[in-house]
Amino acid sequence: MLLFFFTISYGQKTFWKKTDSEGTAYLSFIKGDNTFGDHFRFYYTGDDRHYLMRLRYDYSLDVYRMRKDDGWSGKNYIYFKSGFLYMNLPSNEFALKFKRIDSDEIPNYIYYDTNYPERVVRN
């Protein structure tokens, strides 16, 4: 008698954090999720802003482009470099730099929140 054990992958998660003078931004990058595909969940304690952003990997530039109404943004994206996650937004002069953290560093009220409205960027 043979027994087979398997798991269903709901995506690989990594967790990231950036602190500024008004609060802390937590970002959970999820790759290969069965429901949303590649995406991130973002929570900012400064104003309790939270959302889900779908992503598409661009092989030619090695970045993840953010979703917009009619496709994928050429100006809003995230990328990984030297152990950090960077978020490029046209409204900022420099890309936002996030440090990798363990899941237990995220407050429970954020970690277990499942109500993240999906968001798209303008350009």
Side-chain angles (χ1 to χ4, degrees), residues 3 21 48 50 76 79 105:
L3 294 175
S21 62
D48 290 327
H50 58 288
N76 295 277
Y79 60 95
E105 295 180 60

PDB file of all heavy atoms in Angstrom, residues 3 21 48 50 76 79 105:
ATOM      1  N   LEU A   3       1.173   5.413   0.168  1.00  0.00           N
ATOM      2  CA  LEU A   3       0.510   6.643   0.588  1.00  0.00           C
ATOM      3  C   LEU A   3       1.220   7.821  -0.053  1.00  0.00           C
ATOM      4  O   LEU A   3       2.441   7.884  -0.055  1.00  0.00           O
ATOM      5  CB  LEU A   3       0.550   6.797   2.117  1.00  0.00           C
ATOM      6  CG  LEU A   3      -0.239   5.782   2.910  1.00  0.00           C
ATOM      7  CD1 LEU A   3       0.011   5.987   4.394  1.00  0.00           C
ATOM      8  CD2 LEU A   3      -1.716   5.920   2.611  1.00  0.00           C
ATOM      9  N   SER A  21       8.008  58.786   9.547  1.00  0.00           N
ATOM     10  CA  SER A  21       7.648  59.575  10.724  1.00  0.00           C
ATOM     11  C   SER A  21       6.172  59.468  11.099  1.00  0.00           C
ATOM     12  O   SER A  21       5.804  59.787  12.226  1.00  0.00           O
ATOM     13  CB  SER A  21       8.011  61.046  10.506  1.00  0.00           C
ATOM     14  OG  SER A  21       7.275  61.564   9.405  1.00  0.00           O
ATOM     15  N   ASP A  48      -4.230  53.805   8.336  1.00  0.00           N
ATOM     16  CA  ASP A  48      -4.959  52.538   8.204  1.00  0.00           C
ATOM     17  C   ASP A  48      -5.329  52.200   6.764  1.00  0.00           C
ATOM     18  O   ASP A  48      -6.275  51.470   6.504  1.00  0.00           O
ATOM     19  CB  ASP A  48      -6.216  52.526   9.086  1.00  0.00           C
ATOM     20  CG  ASP A  48      -5.880  52.449  10.559  1.00  0.00           C
ATOM     21  OD1 ASP A  48      -4.865  51.812  10.901  1.00  0.00           O
ATOM     22  OD2 ASP A  48      -6.618  53.029  11.369  1.00  0.00           O
ATOM     23  N   HIS A  50      -5.166  50.218   3.460  1.00  0.00           N
ATOM     24  CA  HIS A  50      -4.783  48.849   3.115  1.00  0.00           C
ATOM     25  C   HIS A  50      -5.451  48.462   1.801  1.00  0.00           C
ATOM     26  O   HIS A  50      -6.575  48.859   1.520  1.00  0.00           O
ATOM     27  CB  HIS A  50      -5.141  47.872   4.232  1.00  0.00           C
ATOM     28  CG  HIS A  50      -6.579  47.853   4.606  1.00  0.00           C
ATOM     29  ND1 HIS A  50      -7.196  48.871   5.286  1.00  0.00           N
ATOM     30  CD2 HIS A  50      -7.528  46.929   4.378  1.00  0.00           C
ATOM     31  CE1 HIS A  50      -8.471  48.575   5.474  1.00  0.00           C
ATOM     32  NE2 HIS A  50      -8.697  47.404   4.918  1.00  0.00           N
ATOM     33  N   ASN A  76       4.539  52.251 -12.500  1.00  0.00           N
ATOM     34  CA  ASN A  76       4.370  51.759 -11.135  1.00  0.00           C
ATOM     35  C   ASN A  76       4.747  50.289 -11.092  1.00  0.00           C
ATOM     36  O   ASN A  76       4.111  49.468 -11.748  1.00  0.00           O
ATOM     37  CB  ASN A  76       2.911  51.909 -10.690  1.00  0.00           C
ATOM     38  CG  ASN A  76       2.466  53.346 -10.605  1.00  0.00           C
ATOM     39  OD1 ASN A  76       2.706  54.020  -9.623  1.00  0.00           O
ATOM     40  ND2 ASN A  76       1.822  53.816 -11.671  1.00  0.00           N
ATOM     41  N   TYR A  79      10.424  45.858  -7.472  1.00  0.00           N
ATOM     42  CA  TYR A  79      11.545  45.013  -7.872  1.00  0.00           C
ATOM     43  C   TYR A  79      12.378  44.684  -6.631  1.00  0.00           C
ATOM     44  O   TYR A  79      12.240  45.315  -5.578  1.00  0.00           O
ATOM     45  CB  TYR A  79      12.395  45.676  -8.959  1.00  0.00           C
ATOM     46  CG  TYR A  79      13.016  46.995  -8.575  1.00  0.00           C
ATOM     47  CD1 TYR A  79      14.320  47.063  -8.090  1.00  0.00           C
ATOM     48  CD2 TYR A  79      12.301  48.183  -8.707  1.00  0.00           C
ATOM     49  CE1 TYR A  79      14.896  48.269  -7.741  1.00  0.00           C
ATOM     50  CE2 TYR A  79      12.871  49.397  -8.363  1.00  0.00           C
ATOM     51  CZ  TYR A  79      14.165  49.436  -7.886  1.00  0.00           C
ATOM     52  OH  TYR A  79      14.729  50.637  -7.535  1.00  0.00           O
ATOM     53  N   GLU A 105       6.779  39.478  12.983  1.00  0.00           N
ATOM     54  CA  GLU A 105       7.010  40.897  13.243  1.00  0.00           C
ATOM     55  C   GLU A 105       5.829  41.768  12.822  1.00  0.00           C
ATOM     56  O   GLU A 105       5.815  42.968  13.081  1.00  0.00           O
ATOM     57  CB  GLU A 105       8.272  41.368  12.519  1.00  0.00           C
ATOM     58  CG  GLU A 105       9.541  40.708  13.022  1.00  0.00           C
ATOM     59  CD  GLU A 105      10.769  41.189  12.284  1.00  0.00           C
ATOM     60  OE1 GLU A 105      11.047  42.400  12.315  1.00  0.00           O
ATOM     61  OE2 GLU A 105      11.449  40.340  11.673  1.00  0.00           O
TER      62      GLU A 105
END
